[in-house]
Amino acid sequence: MFTLDDENIKYAVIGDPVAHSVSPAMQNAAFMAAGLDERYGKYHVKPEELPEFVEFARRNLLGFNATVPHKSALIPLLDEISPAALAAKSVNTVINRNGRLYGDSTDGYGLETALFEAFKLNIKGSTIVILGAGGAAQATAFEFVSRSAAGLTIVNRTRSKAEALAQQLAGKDTLLTALGNDETDRIAAAVAGADVVIQATSAGLRADDAPPIELELLKNAHAVFDMIYHPTKVQEFARKNNIPCADGRGMLLHQGAKSFSLWTDRPAAVAAMRAALDNALNHK
Ligand code: NDP
């Protein structure tokens, strides 16, 4: 059973696990900067508890964010879904409008804004390599295709998943290629021809993880965006080789800022959110 620990909690993040989430620190900085009394909490919600949580939220919260593993499982439980979230099969933001729950996704906006901030990169017309074909890579790939990237190469350890994703996305303006992570010559060529390489695998979440591809394959990259928030071997390699590089903080920040605006109809205090995010991550 879910309960409210604090009557000011009107928003929350849900996940399984969720203890590591820095979204409460970041969002509460935004609520405080806006002079609002509402606060943002976190709930550990197991997959089988999701329907119960949704009904709890309908009665008690004004909105919530969802992270792994709930982003697609939420879709049939909500009353309305934005076209973009439906097409990407991924909801990360739920807005409670007088008891009707509306699902949206701010992940695409977060990534797009972070890429522009880090590299002045516009997705339209750009050529991109994504490492990974899991949930984050799928949402990212969907964003690139819907924003008319010129070319997208998906590289994954399990090649069949890269192929399935490329097939799912086919039919728009983007030229799609799927590769296994052992196809070294083709990866090197794709990396050299791309505007940015997006690291969207979970390899690197632990400090001793091996990188998702041989690092030398990145040596001719023009820019590297690693969705992981803390230092990884990929980021270390990029920096040593003077390749412009950013970690996943910017994406987390901007998806959160957009969620805040959707809930409150106000611009988010991005600088306060960034400072709170950096502080929370640096203390982990
Ligand atoms: P999933 O579990 O859905 O997918 C994991 C992916 O990583 C798969 O493509 C998998 O390949 C690949 N992989 C795992 N281990 C290895 C390895 N040892 N070598 C090569 N490839 C490997 O995870 P998500 O997509 O949900 O998350 C991926 C990353 O993105 C995480 O690090 C997460 O923290 C980050 N993320 C960051 C966000 C941000 O805001 N910055 C938002 C969302 C996610 P295979 O198919 O072969 O198993």
Side-chain angles (χ1 to χ4, degrees), residues 132-136 156-158 161 200-202 205 227-229 248 251-252:
N156 197 43
R157 178 177 61 180
T158 311
K161 288 196 201 161
T201 77
S202 46
L205 279 177
M227 287 174 70
I228 295 178
Y229 317 133
M251 179 176 173
L252 180 65

